[in-house]
Amino acid sequence: MVSSKPLHDTELVDCARANANQGIETAACQCGYGDDINTFAQELRQACEKMNLQVKELKELITDQDIMLKLGAGEIIAPETASEL
């Protein structure tokens, strides 16, 4: 879902990470920056610095866990319902 306003800080990093596989244009749009890729990149860099993340490229936000889940090599273990932990 495309954000109606530009995201910042943790929300921006989370959204960018979720859309990193689709490329910077899609990630910028999904994070509320439309086609303003320069501002998106600058804000993402600042958000990563605040979180002490050393990221130079958008693809670096993709974790090994994300890759394993995409390949089907990992499993998601979760309760059946919210009350069943």
Side-chain angles (χ1 to χ4, degrees):
M1 185 168 145
V2 177
S3 177
S4 60
K5 60 180 178 143
L7 300 176
H8 299 281
D9 301 322
T10 306
E11 290 178 336
L12 174 58
V13 174
D14 289 344
C15 182
R17 178 179 169 227
N19 293 285
N21 281 326
Q22 285 77 36
I24 193 164
E25 293 88 3
T26 300
C29 184
Q30 293 292 100
C31 294
Y33 289 87
D35 59 357
D36 190 357
I37 295 172
N38 290 330
T39 302
F40 167 71
Q42 181 181 1
E43 291 291 328
L44 182 58
R45 221 174 283 119
Q46 289 174 356
C48 287
E49 286 176 12
K50 286 181 183 177
M51 296 174 67
N52 292 321
L53 296 174
Q54 302 297 320
V55 177
K56 293 181 182 175
E57 292 183 16
L58 183 62
K59 294 278 185 190
E60 292 177 15
L61 290 175
I62 302 170
T63 64
D64 291 340
Q65 182 181 12
D66 295 330
I67 294 168
M68 287 176 56
L69 289 172
K70 184 176 180 183
L71 295 175
E75 286 186 51
I76 297 176
I77 301 173
E80 293 292 321
T81 65
S83 63
E84 185 183 308
L85 296 177

